[in-house]
Amino acid sequence: MSKSVTVRVPGKVNVYLGVGPREFSGYHELATIFQSVNVYDEITVSQASELKISVSGRYTEGVPTDSRNLAWQAAELVARACGEDSNIHIEIDKSIPIAAGMAGGSADAAATLVACDAFWNAGIPREQLDAMAGQLGSDVPFMLHGGCALGVGRGDVLSPVMTRGVFHWVFATFDDGLSTAQIYAKIDDMRGLDFELDPAVPTELLGALTRGDAPALGRLLHNDLQAAAIAAKSKLGDALEAGLELGALGSLISGSGPTCAFLARDESSAIDLVVALKATGLVDHVFHAHGPVHGARVISTSR
Ligand code: C5P
């Protein structure tokens, strides 16, 4: 068998997403709390005659298999850094929903950085991998680390956040995705040109995470992009409301959407909520996941 490296990488939810005004760079200053959750993509890297990507698993439709895929760009960055040619096959086994606000594409990029570093025995220092991740996209550095973290700047400048215990989430996803860039543009339109509030994460929310206090966290979930996501897809508002009526401790849009995230009191409430949300017919797919979990990690190597 020829050499291959497999890396597993989780999805994420932003339990808080504060968005400041659009900066000169076109990006928005963020104050966000990321939490990784145990829905995983697996990336396997092996030798090939040219750089190529194939996609399998639960979600495949619409995933680019050329240089538009961040995983492709990640492989080229690592190859350049360690003087290798980038003739590898990147196999992406997807369980993280696509264009959903759960950072699936960013997760695959982070996993490819880790996989290529291991495949070529490059030993790239962590700070350099972090810098490469930031170059690829705002969410990519968090997907390298996982856990729970405060993200500022574009969301790429991270500090770890203490948490206790496990948080149980229910995610409702939709067959049609939303474009992150369009949702940010929409929030700018909705706010107008004179908006200038700096984003900040409430200290009560950090306290709820540290104590492992799910009811308090549920009350404090917040996403500044939510109004724009609901304006783009009105049924999201109905789904968020339905989850609360069915017993969720809190609900919000994950990232730029359209995934709706519901915080449950415990695992059995989460399982009940999955069944109840499915029965409403308001959402396309529903699943349960927990967080925080660790970020991109090598899970197997064959030589
Ligand atoms: O960094 P990334 O490529 O993932 O961002 C995708 C798009 O989301 C950007 O092109 C930008 O329109 C928007 N964005 C933003 N401010 C951020 C992060 C993303 O405006 N902090």
Side-chain angles (χ1 to χ4, degrees), residues 34-229:
F34 293 104
Q35 187 173 120
S36 55
V37 292
N38 71 331
V39 51
Y40 295 107
D41 282 0
E42 283 187 14
I43 273 64
T44 300
V45 164
S46 56
Q47 198 62 51
S49 52
E50 58 182 359
L51 180 52
K52 61 176 181 182
I53 292 183
S54 55
V55 186
S56 62
R58 176 160 186 164
Y59 302 98
T60 55
E61 217 180 294
V63 181
T65 54
D66 55 21
S67 62
R68 287 169 300 163
N69 194 312
L70 285 181
W72 181 293
Q73 298 168 32
E76 288 193 321
L77 274 183
V78 180
R80 211 172 307 137
C82 63
E84 296 281 348
D85 62 44
S86 55
N87 294 343
I88 53 169
H89 182 193
I90 304 169
E91 293 171 76
I92 305 177
D93 186 354
K94 285 207 77 66
S95 296
I96 306 173
I98 294 163
M102 297 190 74
S106 301
D108 297 345
T112 304
L113 289 175
V114 173
C116 288
D117 180 54
F119 184 73
W120 290 312
N121 293 316
I124 297 174
R126 194 66 195 206
E127 308 77 66
Q128 199 180 338
L129 275 186
D130 282 340
M132 288 174 170
Q135 219 175 309
L136 290 164
S138 310
D139 290 341
V140 184
F142 175 70
M143 306 320 295
L144 275 182
H145 291 267
C148 195
L150 167 71
V152 297
R154 286 187 293 130
D156 56 333
V157 181
L158 301 174
S159 325
V161 167
M162 291 262 293
T163 59
R164 173 177 294 194
V166 177
F167 293 95
H168 290 276
W169 296 93
V170 171
F171 293 100
T173 65
F174 298 86
D175 290 335
D176 305 328
L178 285 176
S179 146
T180 302
Q182 280 171 20
I183 295 301
Y184 275 100
K186 195 161 197 90
I187 201 73
D188 290 339
D189 286 348
M190 292 169 82
R191 284 168 159 180
L193 286 174
D194 51 357
F195 180 85
E196 47 186 36
L197 267 185
D198 283 333
V201 176
T203 45
E204 298 87 341
L205 185 134
L206 295 170
L209 286 165
T210 312
R211 293 193 308 276
D213 185 342
L217 182 62
R219 287 191 294 275
L220 293 162
L221 297 174
H222 175 79
N223 181 352
D224 277 345
L225 296 178
Q226 187 157 307

